[in-house]
Amino acid sequence: MMRHFLRLFLIFSLGLCLEARSLVFAPIPFFNANKVLEDFFPMVNYLEHALDENITIHYEKKYDDLIAAFKANQVDIAYFGPLPFLTLQKSFPYALPIITFHESDGKNGYRCALVKFGGDTLVNIPQRELKVALTQPLSTCGYTNTKNLIESSFHLNLDTLLYRYVGTHDEVALSVVRGEFHMGGIKESIAHEYASLGLEIIDTTPLIPGFSLVVNTQTISAEKIAKIKSILLSTPKEVYEKWGKDINYGMSETNTDMFQNLKRDMETMNVPLSGSF
Amino acid sequence: MRKVLLTILSVSITYAVFFSYVHSKMKEERDVLLLNEHKIIETSYKAVTQMYSISIENYFRYAIMQPPILKILNDVVDTNDTHEKALLRGSLYRLLYPFYNDELKRLGIRQFHFHTPQGESFLRFHAPAENGDNLMEVRPSIKKANIEKKFVTGFEGGRIYPGFRYVFPIIQEGKHLGSVEVSLAYENIEFELSKLLSWKDHLLLLKKSVTTDMVFEGHKHHFMPSPLSNDFVIENQKISNITAPSIESELTKKINAILKDHYNIDAKLKEGKNFSIPVLQDDDGYVANFYAVYDLTGTLAAYAVTYSHLDDLVKIQHKYIASLLFGFLTFVLLGIVLYLLIEQSHKTLKEKIFFETIVAKTINGVILLNTKGQITFINNAATTLLGYSLKEVIGKDSHELIHVHPHDTTKEECPILNSMRYQRTYLGEEVFRKKGGEHFTVHLNATPFVQDNNNIGSVIIFRDISTEKEAQKTIEHLAYYDSLTELPNRKLLLDRLSHTIASTKRDPEYCGLLFIDLDNFKFLNDTKGHEYGDMLLKMVAKRLSSTLRLCDTVSRFGGDEFVVLVTKLGEDPYEAKTKLREIGYKLLHAINEPFRLINVDYTCTASIGGTLFHDTNKTINDILKDADIAMYEVKKQHKNEIKIV
């Protein structure tokens, strides 16, 4: 009885403590902080005004760290790719995706693409020398989908090639353009952005759930979650089209059913946490 | 009231001048401090923007103007195929990325940008995906470099970041291949400034026209309104705080709030000039220095601002307040002193006027002497009395010039000088000498001036009493002499008789008294008139006087009665009586001589009674009575005779 009472007291205290601080938003964990902040700031700013509440930005460089911070209740809202979200939800059931951002074609899902520099030819390169750039272990377009694309396009096993995690989709694209890697796995939309630098798409995956805003139900009340969802879903087009490049094509409520296939893949595939060279 | 107002006005004007002087000095001192502070930011800004010049020029020459790069750029110029251009862009990126990453980034430079000859963005190393936009109209540096084909450097706005540009035209064997720029973004400038100005807080105020009005939509959120003016923006703190220490520190916020509330900072910023604002609050001194940064067109583009504590401002302010306070107290005291001086001056002036009026209008002579007895002042009455002009007496020794001394009196014996010497007033009669040498008697009052027991001079007030003296003599004469006959009168005779009686106690000789009464005098008066009578009396008096010895006294005793006092008649009573009788007869004979009275010859007789007296118990009355009785007996018997008893 006493233990029960103590637990209730702790939950109540924690609730009070969390209510006292401002909302904390975490953007996608990329190395280039300024770029990411630049992309997400308009949306955060809009939310701040609509909620009439200050929002603090919490920045992490890696998904691992972001997931840890989320679980430690240091983050209230975060922008997650589908795979990292599933990784988080696996150990932290309080994470709830509420809004999914559309891709440039208006769909609420995206494709991962296998890319290479148009000036490079892969034909004469020995298999053991092929270098592949990946984003992050927990990234959706990282190890899992790139491995599938290399298998379907070249009948090669990624595990037999040289691969390395370089962080962001942009960094994968640019490192391929720079010739540091022969191929790379990134979001299709980002691959198109770097077409002007000669980046070419070799192959793409089927549609996978889009990037979502995930809220921490332990730190935000249901009323506030509903309010945030309502604000974002009713955001006028002329507003959101000025937001960052990954979030400026509209939004819809997250359909959790779309995560089922990916959830299965994740359970069957063992993702290495570091590169092969 | 008028004097008080005058004093307040004078002190206020003087204090205003003093205030103005102290204020200008304080401003001067403060300006020196501010100038020094200002030079720091000016030098720092110039150092930051110029420090890369040489390196960048070398990079351009040895890293960029290389055959493989030039070949790619040449191919870009020669093709219109988008895909081929993309591959060339990627190749250029691939070729120069190590240089960008290893060299430029190491220097802290992030903006490395190639442009086509038409001024389009070809490749931004800092944002490779963003290209193809035309910069000719928004970037004067690119326009100038590609049209005039000249190296261009200076601050400028941009599509992504405003910053300090170094733009080189690329020309290979006369063929224009576009341009390349290396830029210090405003963030770099702030970062480098923070290294140079580590002890100061700083901020870069960017003009909206070169930032949010120009940059790509996606970059606008890098900036936020400045706390000082709507025309300026600063780096968005919410973004910059994540990756760098807050640029807008607490001190910066505090000073900016003061500047916004208490200074017309917006107007100052619009002027587009360098300026410094000293701020004093809660006994703390701060300074905000604004260094104006102009873009390539000469338009104000930004302000590099530093904020720092400046305790010397407080010291100067304290010194200023202390000076003003001290000055205020001094001037209040001065005012009081001035008021008292004016009061005293008015009083002195009034007294001087009184004194001068008194001295000028008085009939008394007034002479001021110094301690040496020299004349330092003389009034009109004195010069008139003495017959000198002012010039003739000022500075002259009074003792020698005007004071007449009876027996060659020395200065040490001079009563006037002694009165000064012994610090006592001298009142007395002295004789002064006129310019012409004539002497006259004065009654004088010599009063010494004494200050702190020392003589500083003397004032002599004198009046001419010669006339009084004469009048006194006349009065005295009238009192003792008969006005008609000029002979001693009854009073003087009685006096002398009293003295003679007293002297007989020491002198063994006999004295005698003769009582003379003119016979028939009344008849003369009644028949001829008083005029004849008076003339007779005068002539008788003359004859009596001329007959007697000098030691004898003849007096008119009243009417036609004369009394003669005779002394030194010898010690023998018989002889004395004989002598007295002889004198009596002499007198009788003198009277008997005919008189010429106007137009009438007249013969006169007299009855004479006499008596001797010696050291006896006889009183004046006894003597007079004896002589009178003797005279009456003669008168009764036959007149014109003498009887001595």
Side-chain angles (χ1 to χ4, degrees):
Chain A
M1 180 68 184
M2 189 63 186
R3 190 182 297 168
H4 196 64
F5 177 75
L6 196 64
R7 189 176 297 161
L8 278 173
F9 174 77
L10 283 171
I11 291 168
F12 180 70
S13 303
L14 180 67
L16 272 182
C17 194
L18 293 170
E19 279 299 318
R21 65 163 166 81
S22 58
L23 275 177
V24 178
F25 170 78
I28 194 164
F30 287 152
F31 289 105
N32 187 344
N34 279 351
K35 184 76 178 73
V36 171
L37 290 167
E38 203 171 282
D39 287 345
F40 284 92
F41 186 79
M43 182 193 74
V44 172
N45 204 22
Y46 178 74
L47 255 184
E48 264 187 341
H49 282 97
L51 286 170
D52 192 20
E53 194 175 335
N54 189 33
I55 299 177
T56 309
I57 295 176
H58 182 107
Y59 178 74
E60 294 291 353
K61 288 182 177 178
K62 293 190 291 182
Y63 266 124
D64 291 348
D65 296 330
L66 175 59
I67 288 168
F70 202 100
K71 285 161 74 176
N73 289 324
Q74 291 168 1
V75 173
D76 303 311
I77 314 168
Y79 179 80
F80 272 95
L83 195 62
F85 160 66
L86 289 174
T87 309
L88 168 67
Q89 203 187 38
K90 196 174 173 184
S91 57
F92 191 70
Y94 305 105
L96 176 68
I98 54 169
I99 294 290
T100 299
F101 291 93
H102 295 173
E103 293 299 307
S104 57
D105 55 6
K107 291 177 181 167
N108 63 349
Y110 66 96
R111 293 184 183 83
C112 290
L114 184 67
V115 295
K116 75 170 194 64
F117 179 59
D120 291 340
T121 172
L122 307 179
V123 178
N124 297 323
I125 301 170
Q127 183 182 335
R128 62 180 181 280
E129 290 178 15
L130 274 173
K131 293 179 186 171
V132 182
L134 303 175
T135 51
Q136 295 183 37
L138 295 179
S139 173
T140 312
C141 295
Y143 178 85
T144 312
N145 280 304
T146 306
K147 183 179 170 73
N148 291 339
L149 285 168
I150 287 174
E151 269 184 9
S152 63
S153 301
F154 298 103
H155 308 290
L156 291 172
N157 183 357
L158 176 62
D159 296 330
T160 62
L161 307 181
L162 297 170
Y163 63 90
R164 182 179 286 169
Y165 296 110
V166 297
T168 66
H169 293 253
D170 296 270
E171 188 53 27
V172 169
L174 288 171
S175 62
V176 171
V177 173
R178 290 197 295 263
E180 294 163 11
F181 296 90
H182 299 105
M183 291 178 285
I186 53 175
K187 270 180 80 178
E188 185 188 14
S189 60
I190 294 174
H192 289 308
E193 282 178 32
Y194 288 95
S196 63
L197 271 86
L199 196 70
E200 290 178 356
I201 295 173
I202 301 167
D203 197 5
T204 59
T205 63
L207 207 63
I208 51 179
F211 278 63
S212 305
L213 276 189
V214 177
V215 297
N216 186 339
T217 56
Q218 264 207 324
T219 60
I220 317 181
S221 65
E223 291 77 17
K224 191 171 278 182
I225 291 169
K227 196 174 178 185
I228 292 168
K229 197 192 286 184
S230 165
I231 290 166
L232 290 173
L233 290 174
S234 59
T235 304
K237 188 183 178 191
E238 60 270 23
V239 173
Y240 68 67
E241 69 184 5
K242 288 180 182 172
W243 294 356
K245 64 175 185 174
D246 294 324
I247 54 174
N248 61 348
Y249 301 113
M251 296 151 280
S252 58
E253 193 171 352
T254 303
N255 177 6
T256 51
D257 294 341
M258 286 181 72
F259 289 93
Q260 294 309 316
N261 288 337
L262 202 58
K263 204 171 180 180
R264 251 193 325 274
D265 281 350
M266 194 182 80
E267 283 165 1
T268 56
M269 200 173 283
N270 188 21
V271 179
L273 295 176
S274 59
S276 64
F277 74 103
Chain B
M1 190 63 189
R2 196 166 153 268
K3 274 182 273 180
V4 173
L5 286 175
L6 193 70
T7 307
I8 291 172
L9 185 68
S10 307
V11 171
S12 300
I13 291 170
T14 319
Y15 187 71
V17 173
F18 172 78
F19 179 89
S20 169
Y21 173 77
V22 172
H23 186 75
S24 69
K25 278 284 166 197
M26 182 211 65
K27 200 168 170 299
E28 209 173 278
E29 207 172 332
R30 200 180 60 190
D31 286 349
V32 170
L33 266 184
L34 298 183
L35 186 68
N36 187 40
E37 290 289 317
H38 199 84
K39 280 196 171 163
I40 292 172
I41 181 154
E42 184 178 0
T43 310
S44 302
Y45 179 81
K46 284 182 179 169
V48 167
T49 53
Q50 300 302 318
M51 67 194 281
Y52 300 109
S53 281
I54 296 171
S55 307
I56 289 171
E57 278 184 44
N58 284 331
Y59 285 143
F60 174 71
R61 196 169 297 129
Y62 302 111
I64 296 167
M65 294 298 282
Q66 295 303 314
I69 311 291
L70 294 173
K71 182 178 184 314
I72 291 172
L73 295 176
N74 207 34
D75 292 346
V76 170
V77 170
D78 290 344
T79 183
N80 287 321
D81 183 70
T82 309
H83 180 67
E84 193 181 344
K85 268 192 181 173
L87 290 176
L88 288 168
R89 188 178 287 115
S91 300
L92 185 63
Y93 183 70
R94 178 177 288 189
L95 201 58
L96 278 174
Y97 181 79
F99 162 71
Y100 172 65
N101 197 47
D102 300 340
E103 297 291 334
L104 293 184
K105 277 189 173 180
R106 187 177 53 79
L107 274 180
I109 296 170
R110 299 195 179 278
Q111 285 181 281
F112 183 38
H113 191 180
F114 280 87
H115 325 110
T116 66
Q118 292 75 38
E120 275 182 7
S121 167
F122 181 67
L123 175 61
R124 290 179 173 97
F125 278 76
H126 47 289
E130 293 181 53
N131 52 61
D133 49 305
N134 196 306
L135 299 166
M136 270 307 197
E137 297 311 313
V138 292
R139 296 280 309 279
S141 62
I142 293 168
K143 190 173 186 178
K144 197 170 182 181
N146 285 288
I147 291 175
E148 296 178 19
K149 299 178 182 60
K150 284 181 181 171
F151 168 63
V152 183
T153 182
F155 192 88
E156 193 182 47
R159 286 298 194 193
I160 296 180
Y161 298 111
F164 199 88
R165 319 289 186 197
Y166 303 85
V167 187
F168 299 88
I170 304 171
I171 296 163
Q172 186 196 25
E173 296 170 358
K175 188 176 180 182
H176 181 208
L177 304 179
S179 56
V180 62
E181 76 170 283
V182 174
S183 298
L184 276 179
Y186 72 98
E187 291 170 310
N188 296 108
I189 295 172
E190 285 190 328
F191 179 70
E192 294 300 335
L193 280 176
S194 72
K195 285 199 282 186
L196 287 175
L197 301 168
S198 57
W199 72 101
K200 289 176 190 293
D201 294 310
H202 64 278
L203 199 63
L204 199 60
L205 292 179
L206 298 159
K207 206 161 184 201
K208 274 176 78 176
S209 57
V210 299
T211 48
T212 50
D213 292 355
M214 190 188 284
V215 298
F216 287 135
E217 195 61 38
H219 293 281
K220 286 189 192 301
H221 294 284
H222 261 287
F223 309 98
M224 60 188 279
S226 88
L228 296 175
S229 168
N230 292 332
D231 291 340
F232 289 84
V233 294
I234 59 172
E235 185 179 4
N236 191 336
Q237 300 297 292
K238 280 209 165 187
I239 293 176
S240 63
N241 283 355
I242 300 293
T243 52
S246 174
I247 288 169
E248 199 185 12
S249 67
E250 288 307 314
L251 179 67
T252 307
K253 284 179 189 167
K254 183 178 179 178
I255 299 177
N256 279 342
I258 297 168
L259 294 180
K260 183 79 177 168
D261 292 345
H262 299 99
Y263 297 84
N264 194 6
I265 190 70
D266 206 19
K268 289 286 282 180
L269 290 170
K270 277 182 182 154
E271 285 177 15
K273 293 175 184 169
N274 298 337
F275 63 95
S276 299
I277 298 181
V279 175
L280 280 163
Q281 200 181 48
D282 303 331
D283 219 22
D284 283 323
Y286 311 98
V287 62
N289 282 293
F290 293 76
Y291 177 72
V293 177
Y294 298 92
D295 69 9
L296 289 162
T297 62
T299 309
L300 178 73
Y303 275 102
V305 192
T306 56
Y307 304 82
S308 56
H309 283 278
L310 195 58
D311 292 337
D312 285 351
L313 277 176
V314 180
K315 286 179 193 166
I316 291 172
Q317 181 78 357
H318 284 175
K319 201 163 79 175
Y320 170 63
I321 292 168
S323 299
L324 287 183
L325 199 63
F326 178 73
F328 179 75
L329 292 175
T330 306
F331 278 96
V332 166
L333 284 175
L334 201 66
I336 293 168
V337 171
L338 185 63
Y339 176 75
L340 292 175
L341 277 175
I342 291 172
E343 254 316 281
Q344 186 60 38
S345 165
H346 273 78
K347 200 174 161 188
T348 308
L349 187 64
K350 203 184 280 180
E351 283 173 359
K352 194 181 173 195
I353 290 167
F354 285 159
F355 171 75
E356 284 178 355
T357 307
I358 291 166
V359 169
K361 300 295 176 190
T362 184
I363 55 167
N364 292 328
V366 179
I367 294 173
L368 300 186
L369 303 180
N370 61 17
T371 50
K372 292 175 182 173
Q374 291 164 331
I375 299 168
T376 55
F377 172 82
I378 186 164
N379 73 344
N380 288 337
T383 51
T384 306
L385 285 170
L386 294 166
Y388 285 104
S389 69
L390 200 64
K391 281 183 181 174
E392 288 171 325
V393 290
I394 293 295
K396 297 285 168 51
D397 188 339
S398 61
H399 186 78
E400 302 291 337
L401 187 69
I402 59 172
H403 197 184
V404 179
H405 305 91
H407 305 292
D408 295 330
T409 309
T410 62
K411 280 191 174 181
E412 283 69 32
E413 295 163 335
C414 174
I416 296 173
L417 297 179
N418 274 344
S419 81
M420 194 166 19
R421 194 172 297 131
Y422 299 115
Q423 298 179 6
R424 56 182 166 72
T425 300
Y426 169 70
L427 269 170
E429 290 179 4
E430 292 292 330
V431 178
F432 278 4
R433 185 188 300 110
K434 293 189 179 183
K435 186 180 179 182
E438 186 189 343
H439 291 187
F440 65 105
T441 309
V442 295
H443 182 271
L444 67 80
N445 179 334
T447 305
F449 292 135
V450 179
Q451 192 176 50
D452 300 330
N453 285 327
N454 291 318
N455 295 321
I456 57 168
S458 177
V459 58
I460 299 168
I461 301 169
F462 67 94
R463 62 188 170 86
D464 182 358
I465 58 169
S466 304
T467 315
E468 285 175 39
K469 279 283 188 190
E470 287 303 315
Q472 194 181 355
K473 272 184 190 172
T474 306
I475 290 165
E476 281 175 6
H477 192 74
L478 289 172
Y480 291 101
Y481 290 87
D482 177 49
S483 59
L484 182 68
T485 61
E486 295 290 321
L487 289 178
N489 62 10
R490 183 190 184 102
K491 192 180 176 191
L492 183 57
L493 177 84
L494 293 175
D495 192 44
R496 287 188 183 173
L497 181 57
S498 175
H499 275 93
T500 308
I501 291 168
S503 65
T504 57
K505 294 185 189 311
R506 298 181 301 274
D507 191 349
E509 290 191 70
Y510 277 89
C511 300
L513 186 84
L514 297 170
F515 209 113
I516 303 166
D517 186 84
L518 298 180
D519 299 331
N520 305 316
F521 183 72
K522 188 172 182 302
F523 179 75
L524 177 68
N525 261 352
D526 292 343
T527 56
K528 292 291 183 182
H530 286 288
E531 195 180 359
Y532 285 81
D534 287 350
M535 183 173 268
L536 176 66
L537 290 173
K538 282 165 80 174
M539 292 174 84
V540 168
K542 213 168 194 178
R543 285 187 188 176
L544 291 177
S545 295
S546 59
T547 307
L548 288 168
R549 297 173 301 173
L550 282 173
C551 60
D552 300 331
T553 302
V554 58
S555 71
R556 188 185 174 203
F557 208 63
D560 55 345
E561 292 174 341
F562 295 90
V563 172
V564 177
L565 176 61
V566 184
T567 56
K568 299 195 181 297
L569 291 173
E571 296 178 2
D572 182 67
Y574 179 73
E575 283 179 12
K577 196 169 183 178
T578 305
K579 279 185 183 174
L580 183 61
R581 185 173 287 115
E582 283 173 359
I583 292 167
Y585 277 115
K586 271 188 183 175
L587 295 173
L588 190 59
H589 289 148
I591 292 168
N592 290 153
E593 289 291 319
F595 292 96
R596 181 68 184 173
L597 302 178
I598 306 173
N599 54 355
V600 177
D601 290 329
Y602 181 72
T603 306
C604 186
T605 61
S607 299
I608 300 173
T611 187
L612 284 174
F613 59 92
H614 186 246
D615 182 20
T616 63
N617 289 328
K618 267 189 170 180
T619 63
I620 291 171
N621 283 337
D622 292 342
I623 295 165
L624 284 170
K625 191 178 173 185
D626 287 350
D628 192 34
I629 290 167
M631 184 273 290
Y632 270 103
E633 282 180 5
V634 173
K635 194 74 105 176
K636 278 181 195 170
Q637 293 170 3
H638 35 67
K639 297 182 182 176
N640 202 27
E641 194 50 67
I642 296 169
K643 183 177 183 179
I644 305 296
V645 292

